[in-house]
Amino acid sequence: MNVLTYGQAEPVARRLRDLRGQAPQRSLDARALAALAANPGCRRRAVLDAAGVDKGAVAERLGHPAPFGQSPFAITRGNVFEARLKADGYAALLEPLRRLLGAPPEGAELAVPDLLPRSAPATRAERTAQALAEAAADPGRWTLLDHPMFRLTVAGSPAYLEPDAVVVHGGRCTVVEIKSFPIIDGSADPAKVGAAARQAAVYVLALQETAAGLAGTTADQSPYATDEFPGSPELSVLLVCPRDFTNRPTATAVDVRRELATTRRQLARLTGIEQLLDALPPGTSFDLAPDQAGSPTRPVAALTESVESVPAAYSPDCLSTCELGFHCRAQARCADAVEQLGRGVRGELGSLRTVTAALTAATSQGPQADSEAAARLAHAAALRAEALAANGADGAGR
Amino acid sequence: MTTGMTISPPSSPTNERPDENPGAAADSAVAAILAATVHPAPGAPRGVVVDSPPGAGKSTLVVRAARELVAGGEKLMIVAQTNSQVDDLVARLAEKGPDLTIGRLHAADSKPAAELSRYANVTAAPKVGDLLEQDVVISTAAKWQWVKTEARWRHAIVDEAYQMRSDALLAVAGLFERALFVGDPGQLDPFTVVGTDQWAGLSYDPSSSAVVTLLAHNPEIRPHRLPVSWRLPYSAAPLISAAFYPYTPFRSGTGPEDRRLTTSTAPDGSALDAAIDEAAEHGWALLELPARHTVRTDPQAVAATAATVHRLLTRGLTAHSEQGSTPLTADRIAVGTAHRDQAAAVRAALLKLGVPVDGSAGPAVTVDTANRLQGREYDVTVVLHPLSGRPDATAFHLETGRLCVLATRHRHACIVVARAGIPELLDEHPATEPVQLGVTMKFPDGWEANHAVLAQLNEHRVQLH
Amino acid sequence: MSLLATLARLEAVRSGHAEPLATVRHRHLSDRPMVLVPLAAAGEAGAPLAVLLGTERAAPRLHLVPQPLNRSQRFEFLAGFAAELVPYLESYGAEVEQIERTEKDPETGEKTQAFRELCADAPQLIVPNSGSVQHLALLGRSTRFRRTAEDPDPGPYPAPTRVPLLGRWLTHLTERAQVPGSSLLLPMTGLLARHWATGQSHLEDQHLGAQLAWHQPPFGIGGAELATRMETERDAAGQLLHPPAGPATDPAFDARVLAPAITRHDTALAALAALATAPGDQARLRVKQTAEELHAALLQVLLPTWQDVWRGLDLLRALPPAAHLAERWEGDRWSYTGHRDRLAAGEPPQPKQDDAVTAARKLAQREREQARLDVHEALDDPLAMAEHRLSGEAFAGVVTEVVPEYDTSGRSPKPRPLLVIRTTDRPHADQGRKVYRANHSSAQEAVIVGSDPAEGTVTVRVLNGMGRKKEPEPGSLPDPGERIVLTLFELTPRQSAPLPEPDDTPWTHGGPPGGSDRSPTATEEWE
């Protein structure tokens, strides 16, 4: 399951590049990697993400633009909060760190090495690894790595990951994740905390690999193990958020072991991308072929055909997590698929996969493809008809 | 999944010291627990918590603690969670402690089990006032909540404490000064059907487990644990320990040769018999049906489950163990399912095969859901895998406790019936769980535990076409 | 989702319009509900942007915060909002009825008759969706501890008097909304989803406009297509034609309409301030204009949702009310009366967090009300009962035989007749299980003594509800040929067990709560 060991990474990377075409690669950041867990059964998403395709642009060309966006107010607020945290030698950040990590005591020096923020990612990653090694070598020292950069190989390509901050002390490090949603009376939106935990888990994984790499070995893959190399990360991260209705920070430790295990599994699955690529018909491409002005010239029909050639696993959750969600919904509706009603629906319907098949099973007496599911549906339909007839309510309220 | 078990720091697993006699390890653990319960040191915490893996002698411990407390001149109350748990415990206490007087407090509209009338030392009554003279008074948490706090005991034992909800403990804790809490942290969590998000992360979240609340408010309590499972065979303990108790490992009390299942008739060449032989030899078998998405009451899986039980009974199996050799009769077999309709379907299928399923009319196979099998023990279990045939995995079906209960009821062997395709189903399961701040994470993750169990089962796979 | 609900959704996919999930209306609707559509400022917890509210469909009133970062503007907004909402809430407090109750004297334990006031009616807030309920809860949390000029220590930023009062009301209403079956504060998406199935998923139903699209879609357009238009259709300027029902706004609206309008208004205000010594008419006019622009922009995004909520009310009002509505609404009236009394008694605002006992009490109440709601709905609505019949927890059938039998174990024989019921349902008819007769004039229990799935019959022995004589009272038993419904679940939910007083919180739960946590100080500020 080790994501760093690849035999023949080159051909895969080239095949993915071919799929993407001339467009610049959408680099896999931590948010994108964390999102892999949202629908791991979707081959379409796996291929497009691995190839670094701009799914939003594809969706727009297909006529179903993704309605995602961030309010300028939210962006401003997030930036203001982070800037506040880092002002005055990270004073606001130190207070919660002190409370949760024990120290550094008031007045003690916090080393903040220069991590060459303006350099190329590869250089930054090298510099971060070096800074991490130095910081971990002296257990007594407190070091804050501000926007460090870690390299993680994903499906044969390097991904560069940039956590908000990493604190190093006692030879170990802790990922700091800064978010602008509030913690009110000690609790926060569980969906947002979950997303933050998954994102932070990607950083922890990258740190595990980096620390193991510095030690000249590989990280332990068991979800219950904690690596003990110099610079190995804690399996809890620090989530720093505004407290209550103020702009003052509060921090809380979040255990990311479960998310770490999830991330590891998803990355391991991405290494199996080659099998998915093998299944693609020759000539498949997600290239939008933009003209000089950047407008796509690729015929919609050809693009649609390429997208359709990779099977999707649509569920309504996709509408809020994947740029292609609206396209896949339209497709699921066209195909009469029961998934358009939600993931949970299928559990009741056995092997009946279309709305028509399910409704036919509910109303007809003849032999059925899935007799048990059909019998249950027919029973349900009879009860429903009886209840509606009893009240003469069919059509009420229309 | 909002409640979580507390994670003790990883400690060296007992099975790393195979030279130590399991009996000795268990005895020293029990001795420490009894000492802390019966003769607490001055200033010691008011609670003693015991984490017990499946079949580690929890009930024996409860009986011993009760007898020693009474021997020391104390009266005590015992809280269990269900009426059948209470009845079981009363019977056990009455049998092992004929010198004890036992009060069985019951609700007006739920009479205790008829078997209890056999014991001269058991008095049943719906009013606690009629039982105050008894050495031990036992009831469910639900019934204890109605007892006024004017009645008070110095000692209490809370059994299956991890299945007790925090609010139930809140209602009964005024009845006692000190308590011994015994339970299995790996089994199913308590639950509620209404929204409780606003209390998530609070130490006293009323919907969380009583032990979680107790430990949060009494950090000086260090949970004891029972290190040896006397129920689970040598073939099961390492897997169950690693998959469900990664931070509190345990070992089996018996060795590889101590438990054997033998058949008196040769296999008939069917997949069912092959699965039975595999389970008899290795303790596990996976009877795998072809992959297909089905409704919950998958007729083929139900039929295969029932037919397996039928063959278990007709092949004349004998269970040999440290307790002697006994024929495998219907009452020593259980079928476990995730849902009640599945249990009903299996019962109907068994009846058609002439297998008794009604225990009130003589020895019968127990067919029930994981929730109701908690705390029970059989020689052989046949389990309809919670994820078999499902197009999607849900939190309910992935819940670690459910699989843990189903995979830990047997003394000899466990046969799992499932459709192929579960690993793929697990792989495609979205992992976007919300995270509540302040809630101790439920570990292990259902996904990891499911994979670990499947990996083991795969080595004992028999395909049914 | 149950199979019956799934089936209704499948039917809706095929028909292209919403299909009924109820034959009666299961929630109380006030004659004069307050419809309230709130908007939140993006990126900040519980920061209000605007609210459109009113009891008159034709006369919505808009309150807005021209600059969400400005504290005094926010206070002005809250004061205006409170001035509109609090009088409505308080208006139900005057008319009361006296309810006679048996109360126990805490000292002597003697039972005495006492009268308690119960408000004759209660207010009702209808919001678009559950996000709006959460937003109101946050508003309640952020305002109920505010200090006002009337406080002994008003602090640096005293709020208008009504602001903390608004916060306490909002806290009470949003807490009550957590109680199953309660109707003081209801989200329209939830109301519609309880009564109709659309041909889309629960997630998509969270968009009120898209959910309503499945009701009366215009001829030739299916619900799915109209719903998609509601979700995605934009004008030439990139603005949604049917903005989401909030509380969050569309980011494109924030970026292209709201942010520029706020900036223009800020600029106009700054210009006016710069001229403080000699304010010019031009500058004043500019401020007025930019304020009107903001007003118009927000009204435009709020009005479609306002109309949607009223349309939803129209649909719901067309359904006949369920039989048990008045009984449950009385619970809401007690809840309202209790809060009115706590305010009048000068009690402090609700604490930030419940103590252990309060949390357990609330959980018990919710579980009790959930059980009561399930029973009420099943009794009131054959479609709800059908859910239980499908799951084997109830069965309906025709009585084919009544066999008079007697219990002769006592001094006088008691009737214990057998009923044979023919049914096509498949109940979990284990022998010895109790069953309860639904929709009968008085409670009646029976026990299952046998079933024959092949014949489709279940035999039960009736245990009570037949009077005190040897022969059953006339009419107390069904006649052969009569159709009856029996449930395997109790029809009178159990009481909750008593809990200790907070001051008696046991050691297992940390002992009695400390005083400091219970009266939080109001040091928080929006920044």
Side-chain angles (χ1 to χ4, degrees):
Chain A
M1 279 177 65
N2 191 333
V3 297
L4 282 179
T5 52
Y6 294 104
Q8 310 227 315
E10 269 305 301
V12 176
R14 192 180 310 130
R15 288 167 75 184
L16 291 172
R17 198 168 60 225
D18 291 346
L19 283 177
R20 187 172 67 241
Q22 332 157 25
Q25 179 175 11
R26 301 269 301 181
S27 64
L28 277 168
D29 59 5
R31 200 185 285 257
L33 289 175
L36 291 174
N39 190 1
C42 186
R43 292 174 170 77
R44 182 173 296 165
R45 183 166 186 169
V47 168
L48 287 161
D49 278 349
V53 172
D54 181 347
K55 296 201 296 296
V58 170
E60 188 148 2
R61 184 67 178 155
L62 292 173
H64 296 280
F68 302 154
Q70 212 184 355
S71 164
F73 300 114
I75 296 170
T76 309
R77 162 99 176 168
N79 292 341
V80 167
F81 180 62
E82 191 169 340
R84 262 196 166 207
L85 279 178
K86 297 195 168 176
D88 302 328
Y90 305 85
L93 189 57
L94 279 179
E95 192 280 317
L97 288 183
R98 243 178 232 127
R99 202 162 39 77
L100 277 159
L101 296 179
E106 207 92 41
E109 201 187 332
L110 179 74
V112 185
D114 180 6
L115 298 180
L116 312 175
R118 279 172 228 292
S119 308
T123 315
R124 289 178 63 192
E126 211 166 295
R127 171 71 193 117
T128 296
Q130 187 192 358
L132 177 66
E134 284 164 13
D138 178 1
R141 205 169 76 170
W142 285 87
T143 308
L144 185 133
L145 304 179
D146 183 2
H147 284 275
M149 183 153 278
F150 299 98
R151 188 191 139 114
L152 190 69
T153 306
V154 177
S157 305
Y160 288 97
L161 306 169
E162 187 179 348
D164 292 323
V166 169
V167 177
V168 194
H169 177 67
R172 302 186 60 81
C173 65
T174 305
V175 170
V176 178
E177 183 69 27
I178 299 170
K179 291 287 172 195
S180 58
F181 59 81
I183 296 179
I184 297 173
D185 300 336
S187 63
D189 183 337
K192 288 180 177 156
V193 180
R198 284 188 291 281
Q199 197 181 330
V202 176
Y203 301 135
V204 172
L205 182 71
L207 265 162
Q208 282 184 335
E209 302 289 349
T210 305
L214 288 171
T217 176
T218 51
D220 195 322
Q221 304 297 313
S222 156
Y224 308 116
T226 312
D227 285 335
E228 300 289 349
F229 310 121
S232 283
E234 300 289 348
L235 301 186
S236 285
V237 301
L238 275 191
L239 179 64
V240 180
C241 295
R243 184 171 63 84
D244 298 336
F245 303 96
T246 71
N247 233 336
R248 283 188 287 277
T250 181
T252 180
V254 178
D255 182 347
V256 299
R257 284 176 300 173
R258 183 177 62 186
E259 287 73 18
L260 189 60
T262 305
T263 307
R264 228 188 238 121
R265 290 200 298 269
Q266 301 310 337
L267 293 187
R269 277 171 60 85
L270 263 194
T271 64
I273 197 81
E274 206 163 353
Q275 288 158 25
L276 298 186
L277 298 183
D278 290 344
L280 294 181
T284 303
S285 162
F286 307 110
D287 192 353
L288 296 179
D291 61 14
Q292 296 276 319
S295 305
T297 62
R298 180 91 184 276
V300 175
L303 183 63
T304 306
E305 197 183 326
S306 281
V307 171
E308 312 289 86
S309 69
V310 205
Y314 170 75
S315 124
D317 310 81
C318 298
L319 296 175
S320 56
T321 55
C322 178
E323 291 86 345
L324 285 168
F326 279 83
H327 171 75
C328 297
R329 178 175 76 176
Q331 220 195 336
R333 282 181 171 161
C334 275
D336 198 29
V338 295
E339 282 87 348
Q340 62 181 294
L341 296 179
R343 232 181 254 281
V345 171
R346 282 182 54 200
E348 296 272 11
L349 298 177
S351 58
L352 302 170
R353 298 296 299 271
T354 65
V355 174
T356 306
L359 286 173
T360 308
T363 47
S364 60
Q365 309 293 321
Q368 300 289 338
D370 185 335
S371 57
E372 183 77 8
R376 277 175 55 78
L377 270 167
H379 187 204
L383 285 173
R384 180 167 163 79
E386 182 193 322
L388 288 173
N391 260 51
D394 203 353
R398 268 184 219 147
Chain B
M1 281 195 278
T2 56
T3 59
M5 65 186 201
T6 337
I7 301 164
S8 316
S11 51
S12 68
T14 36
N15 41 354
E16 277 177 13
R17 291 175 278 143
D19 45 306
E20 196 192 348
N21 175 357
D27 285 349
S28 69
V30 169
I33 295 161
L34 289 174
T37 305
V38 183
H39 309 290
R46 294 169 73 177
V48 176
V49 172
V50 180
D51 288 358
S52 165
K58 194 160 55 66
S59 310
T60 313
L61 173 70
V62 169
V63 170
R64 279 192 68 182
R67 294 192 63 185
E68 295 203 9
L69 282 167
V70 172
E74 301 283 357
K75 289 193 187 329
L76 77 148
M77 59 178 282
I78 300 184
V79 185
Q81 309 312 316
T82 66
N83 276 310
S84 64
Q85 284 168 7
V86 170
D87 288 339
D88 282 357
L89 207 50
V90 170
R92 214 178 250 266
L93 268 174
E95 223 152 80
K96 308 271 174 183
D99 48 329
L100 294 176
T101 57
I102 301 158
R104 163 56 163 115
L105 177 65
H106 60 85
D109 59 351
S110 93
K111 296 275 178 322
E115 302 94 89
L116 296 187
S117 55
R118 298 195 272 135
Y119 303 105
N121 54 340
V122 174
T123 312
K127 287 215 166 80
V128 76
D130 299 334
L131 300 171
L132 292 175
E133 295 305 309
Q134 308 294 320
D135 295 330
V136 184
V137 183
I138 312 184
S139 194
T140 59
K143 176 69 182 166
W144 276 119
Q145 293 181 49
W146 291 92
V147 172
K148 294 264 186 340
T149 47
E150 286 87 78
R152 252 180 95 94
W153 281 261
R154 235 170 75 71
H155 287 275
I157 298 177
V158 179
D159 194 14
E160 300 291 1
Y162 281 94
Q163 275 76 61
M164 185 180 193
R165 250 175 33 184
S166 174
D167 56 349
L169 179 61
L170 175 67
V172 304
L175 294 171
F176 52 81
E177 281 170 41
R178 320 183 50 83
L180 168 65
F181 296 84
V182 188
D184 179 351
Q187 298 207 3
L188 286 160
D189 282 332
F191 68 98
T192 174
V193 292
V194 299
T196 57
D197 277 0
Q198 77 188 92
W199 305 301
L202 289 183
S203 54
Y204 45 74
D205 175 352
S207 65
S208 71
S209 152
V211 183
V212 170
T213 294
L214 174 78
L215 292 176
H217 285 287
N218 298 273
E220 69 282 9
I221 299 178
R222 312 293 305 175
H224 295 256
R225 58 195 177 87
L226 297 174
V228 178
S229 174
W230 301 104
R231 173 193 307 149
L232 291 176
Y234 184 80
S235 55
L239 167 68
I240 300 300
S241 176
F244 299 101
Y245 302 84
Y247 295 100
T248 53
F250 65 90
R251 60 191 289 194
S252 64
T254 50
E257 301 305 321
D258 293 339
R259 300 257 173 95
R260 283 182 306 122
L261 272 178
T262 53
T263 56
S264 59
T265 54
D268 61 5
S270 69
L272 300 183
D273 276 15
I276 290 172
D277 287 344
E278 181 74 20
E281 185 168 353
H282 300 287
W284 297 103
L286 170 64
L287 184 61
E288 191 181 74
L289 282 73
R292 193 162 88 85
H293 290 148
T294 67
V295 293
R296 286 202 312 226
T297 49
D298 177 0
Q300 286 152 316
V302 165
T305 306
T308 304
V309 174
H310 185 242
R311 280 303 286 167
L312 278 170
L313 288 168
T314 48
R315 284 188 66 191
L317 273 76
T318 306
H320 310 274
S321 79
E322 68 287 1
Q323 297 170 358
S325 296
T326 47
L328 182 73
T329 47
D331 57 325
R332 298 305 304 152
I333 301 175
V335 176
T337 66
H339 295 281
R340 285 176 57 190
D341 51 2
Q342 295 171 329
V346 172
R347 252 182 250 129
L350 283 171
L351 274 176
K352 275 194 193 146
L353 295 171
V355 176
V357 292
D358 179 7
S360 63
V365 174
T366 305
V367 185
D368 234 322
T369 57
N371 296 62
R372 291 170 183 232
L373 289 176
Q374 296 197 90
R376 299 305 183 91
E377 176 174 301
Y378 303 88
D379 283 337
V380 178
T381 55
V382 182
V383 171
L384 182 54
H385 197 290
L387 294 169
S388 174
R390 288 201 65 84
D392 67 325
T394 69
F396 175 90
H397 299 97
L398 279 176
E399 190 172 355
T400 328
R402 185 157 282 101
L403 187 63
C404 183
V405 170
L406 293 171
T408 58
R409 300 300 99 201
H410 62 283
R411 284 173 53 83
H412 285 271
C414 175
I415 301 172
V416 176
V417 179
R419 291 205 171 263
I422 296 179
E424 292 75 16
L425 175 64
L426 285 170
D427 277 347
E428 300 191 348
H429 179 65
T432 47
E433 286 86 355
V435 174
Q436 295 274 12
L437 292 179
V439 175
T440 316
M441 193 191 297
K442 174 80 180 179
F443 238 73
D445 184 15
W447 197 97
E448 300 286 344
N450 261 294
H451 254 301
V453 172
L454 277 175
Q456 170 102 359
L457 286 172
N458 245 328
E459 296 178 10
H460 306 287
R461 183 171 63 154
V462 176
Q463 285 175 307
L464 177 68
H465 294 289
Chain C
M1 194 162 39
S2 75
L3 185 59
L4 271 173
T6 299
L7 183 62
R9 281 187 191 268
L10 292 168
E11 286 176 0
V13 172
R14 184 169 58 182
S15 70
H17 54 70
E19 297 287 344
L21 278 179
T23 63
V24 291
R25 176 161 48 77
H26 288 290
R27 297 293 180 275
H28 174 87
L29 283 187
S30 164
D31 295 336
R32 199 170 65 96
M34 171 71 78
V35 171
L36 202 155
V37 185
L39 286 183
E44 203 167 348
L49 173 62
V51 62
L52 192 65
L53 78 168
T55 53
E56 299 283 331
R57 187 179 204 152
R61 314 252 311 154
L62 176 68
H63 294 263
L64 63 92
V65 190
Q67 168 52 273
L69 297 177
N70 183 312
R71 182 187 299 113
S72 53
Q73 286 185 3
R74 196 176 292 183
F75 277 162
E76 275 168 42
F77 163 84
L78 289 168
F81 179 21
E84 199 100 45
L85 184 60
V86 172
Y88 167 77
L89 296 172
E90 288 174 341
S91 69
Y92 289 85
E95 197 185 327
V96 296
E97 54 181 301
Q98 298 290 334
I99 302 290
E100 192 176 359
R101 280 191 162 192
T102 309
E103 286 182 2
K104 219 180 195 178
D105 188 299
E107 297 281 309
T108 63
E110 262 177 57
K111 286 183 178 168
T112 52
Q113 296 304 105
F115 285 93
R116 277 194 59 187
E117 277 191 357
L118 171 63
C119 294
D121 199 1
Q124 182 175 51
L125 259 50
I126 308 285
V127 295
N129 48 29
S130 53
S132 306
V133 177
Q134 285 156 19
H135 178 67
L136 293 184
L138 278 177
L139 269 188
R141 164 64 183 82
S142 65
T143 53
R144 69 180 187 264
F145 303 114
R146 295 260 130 216
R147 281 178 286 185
T148 68
E150 291 165 18
D151 273 304
D153 171 17
Y157 308 108
T161 316
R162 268 194 177 132
V163 169
L165 190 62
L166 173 75
R168 295 174 67 173
W169 273 113
L170 290 178
T171 301
H172 182 73
L173 294 169
T174 49
E175 270 277 334
R176 177 71 190 170
Q178 302 262 342
V179 175
S182 68
S183 298
L184 288 183
L185 166 60
L186 288 167
M188 182 50 74
T189 48
L191 273 170
L192 291 173
R194 172 61 193 90
H195 296 88
W196 289 278
T198 62
Q200 61 189 11
S201 69
H202 283 295
L203 282 171
E204 290 150 301
D205 277 351
Q206 291 302 307
H207 188 301
L208 180 57
Q211 192 187 19
L212 270 168
W214 291 85
H215 294 264
Q216 301 164 319
F219 184 75
I221 298 182
E225 191 186 334
L226 190 60
T228 306
R229 285 192 199 169
M230 291 290 168
E231 290 167 332
T232 57
E233 217 167 17
R234 289 177 187 272
D235 63 15
Q239 294 303 306
L240 284 168
L241 292 179
H242 200 102
T249 44
D250 179 37
F253 169 75
D254 286 2
R256 287 178 227 165
V257 179
L258 187 59
I262 289 176
T263 308
R264 279 195 297 273
H265 185 62
D266 279 352
T267 312
L269 279 176
L272 183 67
L275 294 168
T277 46
D281 287 349
Q282 195 66 29
R284 249 194 229 108
L285 186 66
R286 183 78 190 124
V287 168
K288 187 163 172 282
Q289 270 176 352
T290 53
E292 278 165 4
E293 272 174 40
L294 257 179
H295 194 276
L298 285 167
L299 192 63
Q300 202 187 345
V301 291
L302 281 163
L303 269 180
T305 303
W306 170 265
Q307 297 297 355
D308 283 349
V309 176
W310 285 100
R311 265 193 65 208
L313 284 172
D314 290 344
L315 291 168
L316 289 157
R317 282 185 173 137
L319 284 176
H324 282 93
L325 279 193
E327 189 182 327
R328 282 208 305 281
W329 179 243
E330 192 182 312
D332 285 313
R333 286 161 57 204
W334 278 116
S335 166
Y336 169 76
T337 309
H339 188 64
R340 179 200 71 154
D341 295 347
R342 280 189 293 278
L343 290 178
E347 286 188 22
Q350 302 93 328
K352 285 183 187 176
Q353 278 168 348
D354 293 327
D355 58 60
V357 171
T358 306
R361 280 186 185 154
K362 284 183 182 171
L363 176 58
Q365 183 198 31
R366 287 178 200 175
E367 291 187 314
R368 203 169 56 234
E369 291 298 324
Q370 181 69 59
R372 188 160 80 130
L373 177 66
D374 289 345
V375 168
H376 282 178
E377 292 195 346
L379 293 177
D380 292 349
D381 184 350
L383 254 184
M385 186 61 92
E387 296 276 6
H388 299 285
R389 290 170 62 190
L390 185 62
S391 67
E393 287 299 311
F395 59 101
V398 172
V399 177
T400 57
E401 214 178 327
V402 181
V403 185
E405 285 194 10
Y406 301 90
D407 173 3
T408 52
S409 60
R411 263 177 295 170
S412 52
K414 294 175 217 151
R416 289 291 182 268
L418 294 177
L419 304 180
V420 182
I421 300 140
R422 182 177 299 279
T423 178
T424 51
D425 296 345
R426 303 156 203 174
H428 295 300
D430 307 329
Q431 268 192 26
R433 263 194 90 169
K434 277 242 183 100
V435 292
Y436 307 85
R437 190 166 164 201
N439 304 105
H440 186 51
S441 52
S442 61
Q444 192 164 54
E445 293 174 351
V447 64
I448 291 176
V449 294
S451 71
D452 186 341
E455 283 287 306
T457 59
V458 179
T459 306
V460 303
R461 185 183 299 284
V462 183
L463 299 175
N464 52 28
M466 294 168 287
R468 295 167 176 277
K469 307 205 183 83
K470 185 191 172 199
E471 293 305 326
E473 291 282 336
S476 66
L477 287 178
D479 295 321
E482 195 175 328
R483 187 179 174 280
I484 61 169
V485 179
L486 295 170
T487 66
L488 284 83
F489 52 91
E490 292 181 45
L491 296 173
T492 40
R494 302 194 163 212
Q495 279 186 296
S496 317
L499 286 160
E501 289 300 314
D503 287 340
D504 297 327
T505 305
W507 58 278
T508 54
H509 288 63
S516 58
D517 285 1
R518 301 172 81 184
S519 51
T521 50
T523 53
E524 291 161 7
E525 294 302 335
W526 281 307
E527 296 178 27

